[in-house]
Amino acid sequence: MSRIGRSVSSVIAVPLASLALLLTDARQATAESPTVVSDSVEPRAERADQRMTARIDELLTAAWTGQHMEPAPLASDAEFLRRVSLDLTGVVPTVAEVRAFLTDADPAKRARVIDRLLDSHRHADHLATTWRNMMVPRGSTVDGFDGQAGLQTWLRTEFAKNARYDHLVADLLVATGAARQGPGLFFTAFDLKPEELAANTARMFLGIQIECAQCHDHPFDKWTQQDFWGYAAFFARLGRDGDMRPGQTMRLIDKRAGEVMLPATDVVVPPRYPRGEVTIDDGFGTRRMKLGVWMVSRDNPFLARAAVNRVWANLFGRGLVEPVDDLSVRNPASHPELFEELAAYFTETGYDLRNLFHTLANTRAYQLSSRTWDNAPGRPELFARATVRSLTAEQLYDSVMRVALADDAGAARGQSDSGFDVRRQAFVAKMQSQAQSKLDYDAGVAQVLELLNGSEMASVTANPTSGMLAALEAPVFTDRERIEVLFLATLSRGPDENELTRSLEHLAQGNSASGDTSSALGDILWALANSAEFGLNH
């Protein structure tokens, strides 16, 4: 096939909307570009509690002053847009979004883009993925597509309607119905064992490591064996109805009887709320129902504090208390006053997760640059500059697919009947980090080789499988514009003079050697997609 014939066929294969968007971007990098960044979503700043946003910055500034520390300057618009897109929706912004944002002169554009991202379906998807990964242990026997998809769908639905966080947790704790679908999967993942459910619900929703008292009183905290098994007793009557035969539906039920006992004894431990009272089986609701009621009550001092700490860690790279699931007296918050005020604010605003994300993302502290300007040792616990974090496996895959103009083509990539993208799940399984901290980078040889030579990266960076390269074959683009699009798509910024010069030289060499511009563009795209700047959230 001649070059002209190959080019035309490649261009035709590209979704017309994608090509039109790239063409528009290249020629009209103006505020009136047809992009969702400047859509009709009204800023939520007026509705949010601006007092809390200002208060957070006030308390952090006081801490920096006390430490004689100069905070980083504000992040550039390009830095900010990329970071907030990854944090709120789990994917890098599109070329159209970057162009429109960088050329928008409205001083309120950062607040507007935060609103838009929080209202997008991708925000609910991203939160569902984050919470599902936290709830289902890696390597679980229920780690299949169908069950995971059911839980993902349930979580996404709750986050999409912005359900109160305390109600979401309570609904999860009292879930019945199918044991391998929706919230029931969480209990099945831990084989319905009271001690496992106690340990993991305490870590996730209360931020406490009460399991250290399972065998003996906690050596460094105030938790006793009675505390641990008293909390585990709320799950002692959880059971299954049905069996595992093919075609049979196994359902979660609350049995009439069932107790827990102290290990190696016959001492029955009654249900008892953490740091609270013993409850009795009085016929008014199951034990799990009583736990759900306590979870949303003012008597629960843990839920709001654990939630705000996790959301803070999602946006700032580490919690006000670190590790995030260890809110013990021996592990105080880096900013105790801020931590308590933020937890109280979350409670007063109705456990509104979306508003909490909105409040934090609008702070000056969140919008600081991650760039270093001296050789001073980093102190991430002071939040004086943005942290640099590895992308999660899901963020990396979704961003690579977006660069390839294939991020909304799940069915074409092999989406299963359950709604899960099979290729995405396979990639995530290979690339998933085992690091405990978001600030750690633990990719090994296998992960590096997957990025350098894996099938996903090859399909994105080589014609005819790369939608991006196919689109850039359109004759309306100049080489300079093609290179600019590649940088905007991957790094959310244009190339600097040196990068542009070297890229143009590479294209010229490619044309001279074989007349194959697309192959040379694929080389540049491969290099950008494998760069640290692409693989990190900064």
Side-chain angles (χ1 to χ4, degrees), residues 20 68 118 256 337 444 515 529:
H68 307 289
L118 288 173
R256 293 180 177 276
E337 189 177 4

Side-chain angles (χ1 to χ4, degrees), residues 250-471:
M250 188 172 58
R251 303 179 63 83
L252 294 178
I253 60 171
D254 288 284
K255 299 178 294 186
R256 293 180 177 276
E259 304 291 350
V260 295
M261 292 181 285
L262 291 181
T265 75
D266 56 0
V267 177
V268 173
V269 183
R272 180 179 180 179
Y273 306 115
R275 297 272 191 270
E277 300 176 348
V278 171
T279 185
I280 60 174
D281 298 310
D282 53 9
F284 294 100
T286 65
R287 288 185 177 183
R288 288 197 296 146
M289 289 179 179
K290 293 178 184 294
L291 180 61
V293 171
W294 174 82
M295 195 64 70
V296 302
S297 73
R298 292 277 181 171
D299 295 332
N300 177 0
F302 304 104
L303 184 66
R305 299 168 80 236
V308 299
N309 198 44
R310 284 195 180 275
V311 173
W312 184 282
N314 282 337
L315 293 181
F316 288 87
R318 57 167 290 141
L320 291 164
V321 178
E322 190 71 16
V324 294
D325 58 358
D326 189 14
L327 308 185
S328 66
V329 292
R330 60 185 172 76
N331 186 34
S334 58
H335 301 71
E337 189 177 4
L338 168 58
F339 184 42
E340 296 304 326
E341 289 191 25
L342 193 58
Y345 167 76
F346 185 52
T347 303
E348 292 163 2
T349 53
Y351 290 85
D352 186 339
L353 268 184
R354 197 172 298 173
N355 184 62
L356 180 60
F357 274 102
H358 177 265
T359 300
L360 297 182
N362 272 290
T363 60
R364 177 181 175 80
Y366 174 75
Q367 298 181 22
L368 294 178
S369 175
S370 63
R371 296 176 185 273
T372 58
W373 61 99
D374 55 29
N375 295 321
R379 295 190 60 186
E381 74 277 10
L382 293 178
F383 309 104
R385 65 169 177 255
T387 54
V388 177
R389 297 161 270 161
S390 301
L391 300 191
T392 65
E394 290 88 354
Q395 287 175 323
L396 185 58
Y397 183 88
D398 292 345
S399 296
V400 167
M401 288 302 113
R402 171 159 281 185
V403 169
L405 301 180
D407 58 322
D408 290 321
R413 300 196 308 271
Q415 188 163 297
S416 71
D417 293 339
S418 65
F420 261 28
D421 182 336
V422 178
R423 289 179 60 182
R424 182 178 190 258
Q425 288 303 104
F427 181 86
V428 167
K430 287 183 284 188
M431 299 298 296
Q432 201 156 42
S433 170
Q434 304 298 317
Q436 297 298 314
S437 169
K438 295 177 181 294
L439 305 185
D440 293 339
Y441 181 78
D442 68 342
V445 174
Q447 286 76 28
V448 172
L449 290 176
E450 176 67 23
L451 288 178
L452 294 174
N453 303 312
S455 59
E456 302 301 341
M457 192 62 73
S459 69
V460 169
T461 59
N463 251 337
T465 52
S466 172
M468 171 63 75
L469 295 180

Side-chain angles (χ1 to χ4, degrees), residues 434-512:
Q434 304 298 317
Q436 297 298 314
S437 169
K438 295 177 181 294
L439 305 185
D440 293 339
Y441 181 78
D442 68 342
V445 174
Q447 286 76 28
V448 172
L449 290 176
E450 176 67 23
L451 288 178
L452 294 174
N453 303 312
S455 59
E456 302 301 341
M457 192 62 73
S459 69
V460 169
T461 59
N463 251 337
T465 52
S466 172
M468 171 63 75
L469 295 180
L472 291 178
E473 284 194 0
V476 295
F477 288 110
T478 66
D479 283 349
R480 187 187 187 97
E481 289 168 343
R482 292 186 175 101
I483 292 168
E484 185 178 46
V485 167
L486 293 182
F487 273 78
L488 292 174
T490 52
L491 308 184
S492 307
R493 64 171 177 83
D496 62 27
E497 284 303 318
N498 181 51
E499 291 165 337
L500 179 61
T501 300
R502 295 181 63 183
S503 298
L504 286 171
E505 289 173 353
H506 185 74
L507 280 187
Q509 291 172 0
N511 280 327
S512 173

